[in-house]
Amino acid sequence: MRALGQDYRSIFVDEDGLGVVIIDQTALPHAFETRRLIGLDDAVTAIADMWVRGAPLVGVTAAYGVALAMLADDSDAALHEACERLAGARPTAVNLAWAVEEMHRLLAPLAPFERAKAAYAAASVIAEEDVVNNAAIGDHGLALIKEIAARKGGVVNIMTHCNAGWLATVDWGTATAPIYKAHEAGVPLHVWVSETRPRNQGAFLTAWELGQHGVPHTLIVDNSAGHLMQLGEVDLIIVGADRITAQGDVCNKIGTYLKALAAHDNGVPFYVAAPSPSIDFALREGSDIPIETRSAREVTHMAGRTESGDLATIRLSPEGTDALNYGFDVTPARLVSGLITERGVIAATEEALAAAFPERVTG
Ligand code: MRU
């Protein structure tokens, strides 16, 4: 998608065919910086410290991380260690475990000397699949947006949460794919971007992304979401997912559940856009999903650009204040109007998920 007037992907292999280049998302929106990952340590740090983030992108980064590790050491022990370290870098998004398992399944039976080349090829297949999946999600979601536009007439107001945009995937995004497709198709729309405290992925990343594409949007504080729904200013909510269970419970960025509750109370359609690697058929109950807890400092401090143009981190709360920082919450399936997947818009139920992805059902 577009960044600084050019077509970009969030991750790609450098011209030498070895280094893996990512956009450092901790620098956005104040600076657009790329980084070249040169080894396993870099890949683990990129995921854990959120230079890259978003469920599909952490999966793809992990896949390339395995390839980087195999360049340095292609032994069984090195493959095992790389997979373990990468899978453990963040706990909640199932795409990470899924991508690492895929890489291990493909590489383990190979002779060590074959592994590095095969790993780059396999990682690029996972990356390309993500692009194809998201484009399909965009087409299915576009139909939903067009339906609302036809019924309503005028501008369709879509609310999203966190960043489930192209920065969170390889390209297109999940929640944003239908938005970009609708914008390109000339459907008049406007996006409510919730800031997504404490890391502000909405304010920092989604607002930047939509701005780069010229998609009309307005930033709101997370606490405005329910009020806007009561005012009738939200026609549709589309969020992403870090893990969807076999029965359709959706784990996504903290605050998603509150939006779903308010949407339910106000009759606003609440859709979750996600590719199949975000579905965990091995888990039924959302309450079984491991929820990442991050540093209290993300709550007590905030980084930004001062009016004089410097970047600065400031403390918000009194010194010594304790803070709790859950990264994700679970929205029960009953609050989800539908799942926008690469195979169409389906109900958030065990039956619909199993029917849409029979090859993934574990038994
Ligand atoms: O902590 P983050 O920024 O990795 O969380 C990202 C989200 O919660 C996204 O909504 C989710 O990964 C879907 S991304 C297409």
Side-chain angles (χ1 to χ4, degrees), residues 26-357:
T26 62
L28 285 170
H30 308 296
F32 183 86
E33 289 169 7
T34 55
R35 286 192 192 222
R36 189 179 144 103
L37 311 180
I38 52 171
L40 174 63
D41 287 348
D42 273 358
V44 172
T45 305
I47 295 168
D49 291 356
M50 295 176 69
W51 305 349
V52 292
R53 24 71 49 205
L57 181 57
V58 296
V60 172
T61 307
Y64 278 117
V66 175
L68 291 169
M70 291 300 92
L71 270 186
D73 180 350
D74 53 21
S75 66
D76 285 358
L79 176 61
H80 181 75
E81 189 206 333
C83 290
E84 240 186 27
R85 286 187 59 203
L86 286 160
R90 288 188 77 187
T92 301
V94 73
N95 310 60
L96 180 55
W98 172 84
V100 168
E101 271 165 34
E102 279 289 296
M103 295 298 286
H104 192 271
R105 188 177 60 78
L106 290 165
L107 300 180
L110 300 183
F113 74 91
E114 296 174 312
R115 283 179 179 153
K117 191 168 171 220
Y120 274 95
S124 88
V125 168
I126 291 176
E128 290 306 320
E129 266 174 18
D130 183 59
V131 179
V132 171
N133 285 344
N134 297 334
I137 285 171
D139 292 333
H140 298 304
L142 169 62
L144 276 178
I145 297 174
K146 277 186 168 166
E147 214 178 280
I148 294 173
R151 203 175 335 120
K152 181 188 178 192
V155 176
V156 179
N157 284 305
I158 304 170
M159 181 177 282
T160 190
H161 188 55
C162 191
N163 173 264
W166 70 267
L167 288 169
T169 65
V170 179
D171 211 350
W172 285 108
T174 57
T176 57
I179 292 171
Y180 289 130
K181 294 249 177 180
H183 181 65
E184 280 175 13
V187 180
L189 58 84
H190 164 264
V191 183
W192 296 114
V193 176
S194 57
E195 62 177 348
T196 319
R197 281 281 290 144
R199 286 189 67 99
N200 298 303
Q201 290 95 326
F204 291 179
L205 305 176
T206 304
W208 181 83
E209 257 200 59
L210 296 176
Q212 294 289 315
H213 278 263
V215 178
H217 61 281
T218 304
L219 181 64
I220 55 164
V221 296
D222 298 321
N223 292 333
S224 295
H227 181 60
L228 277 168
M229 290 184 224
Q230 287 177 319
L231 293 177
E233 296 289 343
V234 185
D235 298 307
L236 169 69
I237 299 175
I238 312 180
V239 298
D242 288 83
R243 194 183 298 227
I244 298 172
T245 67
Q247 66 177 11
D249 294 338
V250 172
C251 184
N252 190 49
K253 180 53 55 192
I254 193 85
T256 302
Y257 172 50
L258 288 178
K259 284 192 171 60
L261 280 175
H264 186 71
D265 195 44
N266 288 280
V268 175
F270 180 90
Y271 282 89
V272 176
S276 51
S278 303
I279 305 168
D280 184 352
F281 281 97
L283 281 190
R284 277 194 88 241
E285 302 287 336
S287 53
D288 288 337
I289 297 173
I291 301 290
E292 178 176 15
T293 318
R294 296 190 64 87
S295 153
R297 191 178 158 86
E298 291 181 353
V299 180
T300 57
H301 290 67
M302 197 188 282
R305 191 184 281 289
T306 66
E307 295 211 331
S308 58
D310 300 325
L311 297 178
T313 298
I314 56 162
R315 182 159 41 76
L316 301 170
S317 52
E319 214 160 337
T321 302
D322 281 337
L324 178 61
N325 186 11
Y326 288 121
F328 301 91
D329 60 25
V330 176
T331 298
R334 66 187 159 78
L335 297 177
V336 177
S337 309
L339 304 171
I340 311 174
T341 74
E342 70 269 24
R343 295 197 185 160
V345 180
I346 62 174
T349 63
E350 192 149 14
E351 297 71 30
L353 279 161
F357 299 98

